[in-house]
Amino acid sequence: MDYQIARHNMVENQVRANKVTDPLVIAAMEEVPRELFLPESKKGVAYVDEDISIGNGRYAIEPMVIARMMQIAEIETTDVALVIGAGFGYSSALLSRVAETVVAIESDATMVEKAEKILQDNNYDNVIVVEGDVVAGYPKQSPYNVIMFDGAVAEVPEAILAQLAEGGRLLAVVREAHKVGVARLYEREHGVIGHRDLFDANVPYLPGFEPVESFVF
């Protein structure tokens, strides 16, 4: 399989076709090989327009969603970004081609080890993968100019919103229980965090961020 041709077709048919025009985002999507960040058995479907299971309840979310969120985040080359849920590192690698530094928090020790190896072996030197509680974010290196979730959340924890810098942007797909997911932008301006909904996106939940089911008696 010619992955380079498949990747180019993905950019043309999935990314550009969904109103992504930012040249830095397009370049990142063209450059970063998604197949490197998938299990061996899934490499052949690396460029399909869907979320791909990477094990343990985790998914590499569809490239179009990542690309649209990156464009809306208006990432600058001096920005420090935080990725919640590193997985095998695909989203982190994409952000690293635009931001100055990327911190990726991941709770699964095996995935941390795998992500570190893939990123180091392929010279993504401005990505730092940290093992820890994804629900808490990574306040040690905060504040961040950009925060992105690599999976859907029922809600964004206040503890993670607190890690946004002034002027910072947080992107997440928010899926309340039994509702359609929506990509949402949170921004901190003059110390106040506001948000607005962007587009529908039904990516799988990031483990730890699922809705808490309530029982009606």
Side-chain angles (χ1 to χ4, degrees):
M1 178 176 180
D2 191 323
Y3 289 117
Q4 187 171 352
I5 290 176
R7 187 161 59 254
H8 177 71
N9 289 339
M10 175 200 74
V11 171
E12 294 300 314
N13 299 324
Q14 299 173 33
V15 177
R16 289 186 187 273
N18 279 283
K19 304 176 183 178
V20 178
T21 57
D22 185 316
L24 294 179
V25 175
I26 294 293
M29 301 301 292
E30 284 272 18
E31 179 185 343
V32 177
R34 194 181 190 213
E35 70 275 9
L36 293 181
F37 301 89
L38 296 176
E40 195 66 37
S41 62
K42 302 294 179 66
K43 291 184 185 298
V45 293
Y47 296 102
V48 297
D49 186 15
E50 61 185 50
D51 312 296
I52 298 175
S53 172
I54 59 174
N56 201 21
R58 297 296 305 281
Y59 289 81
I61 65 175
E62 59 182 295
M64 178 275 289
V65 173
I66 302 172
R68 291 189 71 177
M69 292 199 299
M70 285 178 65
Q71 174 168 270
I72 291 161
E74 297 182 343
I75 304 167
E76 299 183 3
T77 55
T78 55
D79 281 347
V80 177
L82 173 67
V83 174
I84 307 291
F88 288 164
Y90 178 60
S91 293
S92 304
L94 289 169
L95 264 68
S96 79
R97 288 300 177 252
V98 185
E100 181 175 52
T101 304
V102 178
V103 178
I105 181 83
E106 174 54 61
S107 55
D108 185 303
T110 301
M111 288 189 174
V112 170
E113 183 178 352
K114 179 75 171 179
E116 285 181 330
K117 178 169 175 47
I118 296 171
L119 292 163
Q120 290 172 6
D121 288 352
N122 292 279
N123 301 313
Y124 295 97
D125 300 325
N126 59 335
V127 182
I128 304 161
V129 184
V130 180
E131 183 181 349
D133 180 8
V134 291
V135 177
Y138 195 62
K140 184 177 179 180
Q141 294 295 328
S142 66
Y144 302 97
N145 307 106
V146 175
I147 299 176
M148 282 184 58
F149 284 78
D150 203 5
V153 301
E155 61 180 355
V156 177
E158 290 293 333
I160 294 178
L161 287 170
Q163 294 168 39
L164 265 184
E166 177 65 23
R169 292 85 65 205
L170 181 151
L171 277 299
V173 174
V174 179
R175 282 181 60 198
E176 299 176 14
H178 312 299
K179 292 186 179 180
V180 175
V182 61
R184 185 172 292 169
L185 168 67
Y186 295 79
E187 296 178 280
R188 181 187 291 277
E189 296 292 344
H190 307 295
V192 177
I193 295 177
H195 72 265
R196 58 187 172 93
D197 292 345
L198 305 167
F199 58 91
D200 290 348
N202 264 342
V203 302
Y205 285 110
L206 185 62
F209 294 93
E210 303 92 342
V212 177
E213 293 289 348
S214 59
F215 295 93
V216 178
F217 297 96

